[in-house]
């Protein structure tokens, strides 16, 4: 999204957002984890690190749950295969005993959505201090920023905390936008939109406006390269500038006109799960399509079950209970 980085240390108390677990996973608070250029951290930010492949990402992309992936890691291989085959039947929309690219792509997108829901639920449990099933602004800023009183302006009065000021202001804008019934609190679905705005089309205009307010110094509604690199560009060496120019020209400026329009800005700051899912499909096909027919047979997937769900791995426990959701959504 998340992770759609700004130093998390800028946010008071934000280091307590996540606890480490034995299974390396990719929970992220979308409006907090940012790349160096201000974009939200993409869903696949932990797939590769320092050239090393992290298989946990692949398992979560199939299971749609960090918790399920953790339990799957404890299962014997035979049980893992048995439960994976149950999933394959659900994944196989045309009942031909093969998984094509479109079927896998759709499944992964739904898994990403489920991961966002799981992350949001965990985050909501952390913030909902009175456990009433809602998150108020006061609860959120107390847990996230350490501001116990919403009227306390101490954070905003400190000149050396410009980033905190901006994050707090942006969070308030997102909170208000997610509060659809304007009752001053967020239920679970509203909190999902707030914590993972990339999942909600209604939130994208807010993210766009925030980006323009930060980057668009000449207020023309567009972002050129100088605005893209910002003031930090003045402090960088030639190699950094050339790298950023290459990214600007080849990754973000799709029409090659030297500026980013609104659609290009959104594509830059909010990485799309569509593209990430497509890349993951390519990755899984490369790993398991042994006969190179551009289809994954059940046998190929089961032979490579460690790629899809781990070698000693799946509770299908909770996830099996969610299978009907895939029938409705796919």
């Amino acid at each position: 999204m998340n992770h759609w980085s700004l130093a998390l240390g800028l946010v008071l108390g934000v280091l307590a957002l996540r606890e480490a677990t034995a299974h390396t996973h990719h929970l992220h608070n979308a409006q907090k984890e940012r790349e160096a250029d201000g974009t939200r951290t993409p869903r696949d930010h932990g797939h590769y690190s320092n050239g090393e492949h992290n298989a946990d990402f692949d398992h979560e992309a199939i299971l749609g749950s960090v918790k399920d992936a953790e339990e799957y890691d404890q299962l014997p291989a035979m049980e893992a295969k048995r439960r994976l085959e149950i999933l394959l039947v659900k994944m196989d929309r045309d009942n031909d005993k093969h998984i094509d690219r479109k079927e896998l792509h759709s499944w992964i997108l739904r898994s990403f959505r489920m991961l966002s829901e799981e992350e949001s639920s965990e985050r909501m449990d952390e913030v909902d201090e009175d456990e009433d099933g809602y998150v108020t602004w006061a609860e959120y800023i107390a847990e996230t920023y350490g501001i116990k009183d919403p009227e306390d302006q101490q954070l905003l009065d400190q000149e050396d905390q410009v980033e905190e000021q901006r994050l707090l202001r942006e969070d308030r804008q997102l909170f208000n936008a997610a509060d659809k019934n304007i009752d001053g609190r967020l239920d679970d679905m509203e909190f999902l939109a707030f914590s993972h705005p990339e999942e909600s089309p209604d939130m994208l205009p807010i993210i766009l406006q925030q980006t323009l307010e930060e980057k668009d110094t000449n207020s023309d509604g567009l972002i050129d390269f100088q605005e893209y690199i910002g003031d930090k560009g003045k402090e960088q060496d030639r190699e950094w500038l050339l790298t950023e120019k290459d990214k600007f020209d080849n990754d973000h400026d799709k029409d090659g006109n030297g500026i980013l329009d609104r659609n290009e800005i959104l594509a830059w700051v909010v990485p799309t799960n569509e593209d990430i899912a497509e890349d993951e499909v390519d990755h899984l096909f490369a790993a398991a399509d042994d006969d190179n027919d551009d289809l994954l047979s059940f046998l190929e997937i089961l032979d490579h079950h460690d790629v899809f769900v781990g070698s000693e791995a799946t509770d299908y426990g909770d996830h099996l209970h969610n299978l009907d959701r895939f029938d409705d959504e796919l």
Side-chain angles (χ1 to χ4, degrees), residues 18-227:
R18 303 290 179 203
E19 294 181 358
T21 65
H23 179 91
T24 303
H25 56 82
H26 316 288
L27 296 181
H28 66 287
N29 187 348
Q31 73 263 42
K32 286 296 173 292
E33 289 194 12
R34 309 281 181 87
E35 301 296 324
D37 61 5
T39 62
R40 279 154 174 81
T41 302
R43 168 62 65 185
D44 62 347
H45 72 283
H47 196 187
Y48 292 91
S49 179
N50 298 321
E52 296 293 324
H53 174 245
N54 185 350
D56 294 341
F57 175 82
D58 302 321
H59 304 165
E60 292 162 20
I62 295 299
L63 303 181
S65 168
V66 171
K67 295 176 182 178
D68 286 349
E70 289 171 344
E71 294 198 28
Y72 208 115
D73 286 342
Q74 308 305 315
L75 290 179
M78 289 302 294
E79 178 65 8
K81 290 182 180 182
R82 185 187 72 81
R83 297 186 181 193
L84 176 57
E85 190 166 12
I86 294 173
L87 273 190
L88 295 180
V89 172
K90 289 292 184 178
M91 199 183 302
D92 181 20
R93 305 304 297 175
D94 59 9
N95 300 313
D96 66 351
K97 302 297 183 182
H98 289 78
I99 305 301
D100 61 31
R101 288 178 177 270
K102 183 178 180 181
E103 289 168 333
L104 186 56
H105 187 268
S106 296
W107 184 270
I108 290 170
L109 281 177
R110 275 32 179 210
S111 289
F112 288 167
R113 173 73 179 187
M114 291 177 70
L115 284 164
S116 292
E117 292 172 357
E118 182 178 77
E119 293 165 8
S120 179
S121 178
E122 289 184 13
R123 181 72 178 119
M124 188 168 179
D125 287 344
E126 295 170 352
V127 179
D128 181 17
E129 185 175 357
D130 61 10
E131 300 181 355
D132 66 347
Y134 297 91
V135 170
T136 65
W137 177 245
E139 286 176 321
Y140 177 74
I141 62 175
E143 198 280 340
T144 305
Y145 294 92
I147 301 177
K148 302 302 182 183
D149 183 346
E151 301 303 320
D152 185 357
Q153 297 298 308
Q154 181 180 2
L155 179 65
L156 297 180
D157 291 341
Q158 298 181 34
E159 294 182 0
D160 63 343
Q161 293 182 315
V162 175
E163 292 297 341
E164 288 93 331
Q165 295 172 27
R166 182 172 65 82
L167 287 172
L168 183 63
R169 181 175 64 253
E170 291 183 355
D171 276 352
R172 185 59 177 177
Q173 292 169 343
L174 290 169
F175 187 98
N176 290 341
D179 183 16
K180 295 299 185 183
N181 59 1
I182 319 178
D183 66 352
R185 58 185 189 173
L186 305 182
D187 61 24
D188 56 349
M189 294 307 297
E190 290 171 330
F191 191 79
L192 174 63
F194 170 64
S195 63
H196 292 73
E198 75 278 7
E199 296 281 3
S200 176
D202 292 344
M203 302 295 285
L204 296 184
I206 306 299
I207 295 176
L208 175 62
Q209 186 57 41
Q210 291 176 345
T211 304
L212 289 173
E213 288 175 359
E214 179 187 359
K215 298 281 190 179
D216 182 21
T217 56
N218 63 5
S219 302
D220 65 352
L222 304 166
I223 293 179
D224 60 30
F225 178 66
Q226 290 302 318
E227 292 171 325

Side-chain angles (χ1 to χ4, degrees), residues 253-286:
D253 183 17
K254 303 299 184 183
D255 58 11
N257 66 350
I259 53 176
L260 305 185
D261 61 25
R262 295 186 170 226
N263 289 333
E264 290 169 332
I265 293 169
L266 274 177
W268 160 44
V269 298
V270 187
T272 173
N273 281 342
E274 289 278 350
D275 292 341
I276 295 171
E278 185 174 339
D279 289 343
E280 178 65 0
V281 168
D282 290 342
H283 173 70
L284 293 175
F285 263 74

Side-chain angles (χ1 to χ4, degrees), residues 7 17 31 82 107 150 289 292 305 316:
L17 290 180
Q31 73 263 42
R82 185 187 72 81
W107 184 270
D289 185 16
N292 297 311
H305 73 280
Y316 244 85

Side-chain angles (χ1 to χ4, degrees), residues 203-329:
M203 302 295 285
L204 296 184
I206 306 299
I207 295 176
L208 175 62
Q209 186 57 41
Q210 291 176 345
T211 304
L212 289 173
E213 288 175 359
E214 179 187 359
K215 298 281 190 179
D216 182 21
T217 56
N218 63 5
S219 302
D220 65 352
L222 304 166
I223 293 179
D224 60 30
F225 178 66
Q226 290 302 318
E227 292 171 325
Y228 170 78
I229 59 175
D231 290 339
K232 68 180 180 182
K234 301 174 183 177
E235 305 170 358
Q236 304 298 327
D237 58 23
R238 175 179 172 79
E239 183 179 354
W240 184 90
L241 290 170
L242 289 174
T243 298
E244 292 303 310
K245 188 64 166 67
D246 181 69
K247 286 165 57 177
F248 182 90
D249 291 341
N250 297 308
D251 295 342
H252 306 313
D253 183 17
K254 303 299 184 183
D255 58 11
N257 66 350
I259 53 176
L260 305 185
D261 61 25
R262 295 186 170 226
N263 289 333
E264 290 169 332
I265 293 169
L266 274 177
W268 160 44
V269 298
V270 187
T272 173
N273 281 342
E274 289 278 350
D275 292 341
I276 295 171
E278 185 174 339
D279 289 343
E280 178 65 0
V281 168
D282 290 342
H283 173 70
L284 293 175
F285 263 74
D289 185 16
D290 295 332
D291 60 7
N292 297 311
D293 65 350
D294 210 34
L295 291 170
L296 296 179
S297 68
F298 282 17
L299 181 59
E300 285 175 323
I301 294 174
L302 294 174
D303 282 347
H304 296 277
H305 73 280
D306 57 316
V307 172
F308 288 82
V309 291
S311 60
E312 275 194 0
T314 325
D315 149 301
Y316 244 85
D318 294 337
H319 194 72
L320 283 176
H321 294 172
N322 293 328
L323 288 177
D324 288 342
R325 292 176 53 193
F326 287 109
D327 281 333
D328 295 335
E329 296 177 3

